[in-house]
Amino acid sequence: MSLPVPVVWSEDCLRHEPGGEVWLGVRDEGTEVPARALVLRAALTAAGALVVPAVRHGDEILRTVHDPELVDHLAGVWRDWEAAGLPAGYGRDRVVPYVFPTAGMLAGLPERSPPAVHGRAGLYCYDTMTLVGPGSWPAIRGAADAALTAAGLVCSGERLAYALCRPPGHHVTRRAYGGSCYLNNAAIAAQALRAAGAGQIVILDIDAHHGNGTQMIFYDRADVWYGSLHVDPGAGWFPHYAGYPEERGRGEGEGFNRNRPLAPGAGDDDWLAALSALCDEARALEPDAVVVSLGLDAAATDPESPLCVTEAGYRTAGRLVAALAPTVLVQEGGYDLASLGGLAVAVLSGAAEGAGLRASS
Ligand code: SP5
Ligand code: ZN
């Protein structure tokens, strides 16, 4: 039995070692660890999926989706941090900002780019949970290349492709990173599909958290519709400031954004009913391609969210989303190492079924 979905992967994705996350002022052991990718790859290979190496792409799509200044910042911030002597002289072994130029702080002053890297760090980052170390940039770049390669496969006729991206991406806005994410891999895949000629794109985000970054990247656009299923930020969950139902898009993008927050504790029935409604709305747009922000953290076993979805729920979700159109699945969150593999196999098996692909024997 073999899972008929190409798994696009870059070894560089293992080089990002966040070294923990600073949550409420204390550095905890991190949840977004390299072992996540190893567990996913092992389970998918054991299920018979073919691993396809990510191909290095140019910067054009990255610099369209993101402010080029964010891309340059991520590419250079560790070098600057080290050159400033922060690891050796101060024991600061990862980039963590401590001042954030919020709208309230600036109160109309122009936003500067401070010369000191420890000041500048807060200009492009909105939380303390998303650390940068020596191997972060090659991994971030590898994840973006995996997303671009998977989008390329779908453009050249594959019905389905899965990008095993790590670090994840859906919390990254045009100009700011956070939420364990650095570049927005799903937005990059969507933009690549557009550049290759797809007219209408649908992004379905089934990570347990709202993909505030993806939402805002496409908030003013009608060519990329964004729909998300997530734990209600109003009930106290990350990203706290976005993911509410009244966020419907703006200008030309008005009506092209849909949030379906769920109460903590929601299980398969509520989750799949909401997903089904999202899919109905997506289907009506007759999309040329679908991008799935595939978080596995809605699972009951996950330590980072209060949603209670089962493996069977994820299988059904895969079937629903992949039936819509040619589909690029992009890995987002999912933190329980013991159940991650089974969840990934379930959702991709469902997707293969939904896409009408047969498992080869
Ligand atoms: C891609 C993705 O799933 N990002 C999730 C980011 C949300 N993280 C918020 C974590 C809140 C604190 N978690 C407590 C564990 C402390 N180590
Ligand atoms: Zn998540």
Side-chain angles (χ1 to χ4, degrees):
M1 238 277 290
S2 85
L3 187 58
V5 184
V7 171
V8 185
W9 159 252
S10 164
E11 287 292 326
D12 281 342
C13 287
L14 297 173
R15 295 171 63 183
H16 171 54
E17 298 196 8
E21 46 193 46
V22 178
W23 185 56
L24 312 186
V26 177
R27 184 142 156 192
D28 290 334
E29 206 172 296
T31 47
E32 204 293 284
V33 293
R36 296 177 58 247
L38 293 174
V39 162
L40 289 167
R41 191 182 58 169
L44 294 168
T45 336
L50 186 66
V51 175
V52 177
V55 174
R56 182 62 190 256
H57 283 66
D59 280 356
E60 301 77 22
I61 304 279
L62 275 61
R63 289 175 174 272
T64 304
V65 163
H66 292 294
D67 189 323
E69 287 180 16
L70 169 62
V71 179
D72 292 340
H73 175 77
L74 287 168
V77 68
W78 175 257
R79 179 198 57 217
D80 294 351
W81 192 263
E82 207 173 27
L86 293 166
Y90 297 82
R92 266 55 182 189
D93 69 338
R94 293 292 185 277
V95 177
V96 189
Y98 83 113
V99 178
F100 299 90
T102 61
M105 180 197 185
L106 294 181
L109 286 177
E111 191 180 78
R112 293 167 181 277
S113 181
V117 63
H118 61 287
R120 198 162 67 241
L123 179 51
Y124 300 100
C125 178
Y126 60 75
D127 67 26
T128 60
M129 313 248 332
T130 312
L131 279 50
V132 173
S136 297
W137 175 246
I140 294 162
R141 196 48 233 238
D145 281 327
L148 288 165
T149 304
L153 288 173
V154 164
C155 291
S156 26
E158 290 279 351
R159 182 62 179 67
L160 279 185
Y162 166 72
L164 206 182
C165 296
R166 176 188 179 267
H170 72 151
H171 293 304
V172 189
T173 66
R174 176 162 172 78
R175 192 174 153 82
Y177 70 92
S180 304
C181 302
Y182 302 83
L183 289 179
N184 196 316
N185 306 309
I188 287 167
Q191 187 64 39
L193 291 162
R194 283 286 290 125
Q200 181 69 54
I201 307 291
V202 151
I203 301 179
L204 288 163
D205 189 329
I206 62 171
D207 187 278
H209 305 98
H210 178 249
N212 60 300
T214 315
Q215 165 173 297
M216 295 321 295
I217 285 169
F218 298 115
Y219 209 57
D220 302 283
R221 289 168 55 172
D223 58 335
V224 182
W225 180 91
Y226 176 80
S228 178
L229 198 57
H230 49 271
V231 61
D232 186 357
W237 294 86
F238 189 88
H240 299 285
Y241 295 93
Y244 296 86
E246 57 269 33
E247 296 157 14
R248 296 298 322 281
R250 193 165 57 195
E252 285 180 16
E254 179 77 51
F256 287 81
N257 194 84
R258 177 70 76 185
N259 289 323
R260 292 193 168 268
L262 295 163
D268 284 355
D269 290 352
D270 294 336
W271 193 70
L272 289 170
L275 178 60
S276 196
L278 280 183
C279 287
D280 289 344
E281 205 173 328
R283 194 177 304 108
L285 294 170
E286 302 184 8
D288 299 300
V290 172
V291 174
V292 179
S293 260
L294 177 55
L296 298 171
D297 47 3
T301 45
D302 198 278
E304 289 294 317
S305 106
L307 300 180
C308 296
V309 176
T310 67
E311 237 178 55
Y314 266 103
R315 180 183 296 268
T316 303
R319 208 161 46 220
L320 288 170
V321 298
L324 293 168
T327 299
V328 182
L329 300 120
V330 177
Q331 184 62 47
E332 301 284 1
Y335 306 99
D336 177 49
L337 296 176
S339 58
L340 221 41
L343 291 163
V345 171
V347 71
L348 292 192
S349 305
E353 227 178 286
L357 301 174
R358 283 181 54 99
S360 55
S361 42

